[in-house]
Amino acid sequence: MISLGSRITPSQKKCTVLKKYCYNEDDVVFPVDMLYKDGLCWFAQEKLVLDKWSLPKNAFDTLRKDFPLDLVNLSLNKCLGVTSSRIEVFPSLKHLNILHLKGTITIDVPTASLIGRLYRVYELDISENKVEPKAFHHIFSRLNMLKYLHCNKCKGIDDFSLQTIADNVSKFRKLSHIYMAENHDYSDEGMLAIITVGPNIIIELDISGSNSLTTLSMAGVRKKMSSLRMLNLSNVRGSGQTAYEFIAEGCVFLTELDIHKSSTLNDAALILIGRKCNILKKFNIADCFNVTDIGIQGFFEAFQGHLQAFNISGCVKCGGPAAFALSKATKMLTSMKMNCLSMVTTASMKAFWKSLTILEEFEMSADIRRWVLHS
């Protein structure tokens, strides 16, 4: 493996400005010899991490010439100089399994066609890129080995794009880890298509911060999601109380659930999740302002499993009774976060602290900036 940091040679000539960097491509010195395992440039690296580099054309020529059979993992996150014409080298990389293009290039039809020819890729990251309509069809209709898909903060992903992803899940039955956080251009119809076709396939699903979604998109999880182990539904402002009932009803095999910053989560929903999702290991309900001591107590009375990580930071209505409930039911906790809980009493804190035997991470601070306004 070779990992190269960001290196851009400043130029005194007329230059192009991108963010805070000022450079001229002719002045960029790319150390091609560092792409090899040995100083004689005989043995090519299997993993290249070229994040934040400005890549000249000769770098892609080197990949085409010396890396077609060796390169397995290629990371070009936030690189400069990556264009559709230069990535024509991709199809020659016969054994490429992992490709990261985060914030690097617009995913148009020509680019998508080249990515779609990488038949051995099982992990693809195209986060923070603009996506043109119909581009996804050229990717997901071909990648039959894809297991991990990262499309966080992409502009232009609409319902048609999500339907194409759903077709990939249904056809090849490999795509099981889907991360689509903070996308705002698709609606419930597209997300429902993915959830509906993958009840026995999808293992991890992250749609946090997707404020265009409502409770309707969660209707699909009412069917038994037997494979789903991780669900991140945090900061989805359109989700209502019914969404948590759907999760409790269909996602009983969850081991990790993140619903922090959920303004509609209340005590009744929390208790229902505790009653149904009995194999949870990691649970995050930070900044859920409607959760009170009653909800925390009821959750642990109904919950039959053993949490390993629990985050109730910012649940300001929780105090001493919540801490006492934690002390009776959290023997296996390794991580506990309870920042900004000013109503926790000394007695409850002592009881909670004595009950912990294998705790590795603990947070309980007062984030004054969140609660105090200085005029």
Side-chain angles (χ1 to χ4, degrees):
M1 168 188 170
I2 184 70
S3 178
L4 305 177
S6 176
R7 297 183 184 178
I8 298 179
T9 305
S11 172
Q12 301 299 325
K13 303 177 183 179
K14 184 178 179 180
C15 58
T16 303
V17 177
L18 180 65
K19 296 182 179 178
K20 64 180 180 179
Y21 297 116
C22 183
Y23 73 98
N24 184 292
E25 186 175 358
D26 296 335
D27 295 338
V28 176
V29 179
F30 186 81
V32 175
D33 56 329
M34 293 188 66
L35 303 182
Y36 299 86
K37 295 180 180 179
D38 62 315
L40 298 177
C41 300
W42 285 355
F43 302 99
Q45 293 281 352
E46 296 178 355
K47 178 178 180 178
L48 292 180
V49 180
L50 304 175
D51 296 349
K52 298 183 180 180
W53 269 84
S54 179
L55 299 176
K57 186 176 183 301
N58 70 309
F60 294 92
D61 294 336
T62 302
L63 290 179
R64 185 195 305 272
K65 178 183 177 182
D66 294 341
F67 287 77
L69 300 179
D70 297 285
L71 193 58
V72 175
N73 186 335
L74 177 61
S75 180
L76 301 176
N77 294 329
K78 299 185 179 181
C79 282
L80 307 179
V82 180
T83 63
S84 296
S85 59
R86 290 184 176 180
I87 65 171
E88 290 179 357
V89 64
F90 281 178
S92 66
L93 305 176
K94 302 297 184 181
H95 295 166
L96 191 65
N97 297 143
I98 301 173
L99 177 61
H100 291 180
L101 296 171
K102 180 180 178 181
T104 299
I105 188 173
T106 298
I107 308 299
D108 52 17
V109 173
T111 301
S113 299
L114 292 169
I115 296 175
R117 294 169 63 184
L118 297 171
Y119 301 109
R120 291 180 178 268
V121 165
Y122 65 79
E123 180 175 338
L124 177 64
D125 187 350
I126 53 174
S127 301
E128 301 182 21
N129 293 314
K130 181 180 179 182
V131 178
E132 291 189 358
K134 300 184 179 180
F136 270 19
H137 173 74
H138 296 271
I139 297 177
F140 298 107
S141 62
R142 301 178 181 180
L143 295 184
N144 58 353
M145 299 295 293
L146 192 63
K147 294 182 180 179
Y148 302 87
L149 174 63
H150 302 262
C151 293
N152 304 314
K153 298 182 181 179
C154 286
K155 295 182 179 179
I157 298 182
D158 55 11
D159 289 336
F160 179 81
S161 302
L162 265 62
Q163 182 61 56
T164 307
I165 297 175
D167 292 341
N168 181 284
V169 175
S170 176
K171 182 178 180 180
F172 302 117
R173 306 185 67 82
K174 295 285 187 180
L175 184 53
S176 56
H177 297 69
I178 302 175
Y179 309 96
M180 306 193 68
E182 299 187 43
N183 291 315
H184 310 292
D185 297 323
Y186 56 75
S187 65
D188 294 321
E189 182 181 356
M191 184 51 61
L192 194 58
I194 292 179
I195 295 174
T196 303
V197 301
N200 301 318
I201 303 171
I202 298 176
I203 297 175
E204 295 189 1
L205 179 63
D206 184 353
I207 53 175
S208 59
S210 300
N211 292 325
S212 59
L213 299 179
T214 66
T215 301
L216 179 61
S217 61
M218 288 291 101
V221 304
R222 295 185 70 181
K223 299 170 61 178
K224 292 297 182 182
M225 304 288 290
S226 59
S227 296
L228 191 63
R229 297 295 182 267
M230 189 282 285
L231 177 63
N232 190 337
L233 196 65
S234 62
N235 200 25
V236 179
R237 299 174 185 175
S239 61
Q241 184 71 18
T242 312
Y244 308 114
E245 297 176 6
F246 291 158
I247 293 171
E249 183 177 344
C251 304
V252 296
F253 298 105
L254 281 175
T255 59
E256 183 176 350
L257 177 60
D258 189 341
I259 48 178
H260 78 272
K261 292 187 177 180
S262 298
S263 59
T264 56
L265 179 70
N266 59 18
D267 293 336
L270 186 61
I271 294 171
L272 183 60
I273 292 173
R275 183 178 301 119
K276 298 290 186 178
C277 304
N278 282 314
I279 62 173
L280 272 178
K281 300 299 181 184
K282 298 180 180 180
F283 194 22
N284 186 353
I285 57 171
D287 296 325
C288 294
F289 304 122
N290 292 324
V291 173
T292 68
D293 291 324
I294 297 174
I296 300 296
Q297 288 177 312
F299 173 83
F300 283 108
E301 288 175 0
F303 185 65
Q304 301 299 317
H306 300 283
L307 282 180
Q308 296 177 358
F310 194 32
N311 188 349
I312 57 172
S313 299
C315 298
V316 293
K317 295 181 181 179
C318 297
F324 276 119
L326 285 167
S327 67
K328 298 177 182 179
T330 55
K331 305 296 184 181
M332 303 301 294
L333 267 183
T334 59
S335 175
M336 182 68 205
K337 297 180 181 180
M338 45 196 306
N339 302 305
C340 307
L341 301 189
S342 58
M343 295 193 295
V344 176
T345 62
T346 302
S348 63
M349 196 62 205
K350 286 182 178 179
F352 167 68
W353 198 254
K354 288 180 180 179
S355 68
L356 301 174
T357 57
I358 59 174
L359 190 67
E360 298 176 359
E361 180 183 14
F362 179 72
E363 291 183 11
M364 189 177 182
S365 63
D367 192 350
I368 299 178
R369 294 172 297 177
R370 297 171 59 185
W371 311 108
V372 179
L373 176 63
H374 299 277
S375 58

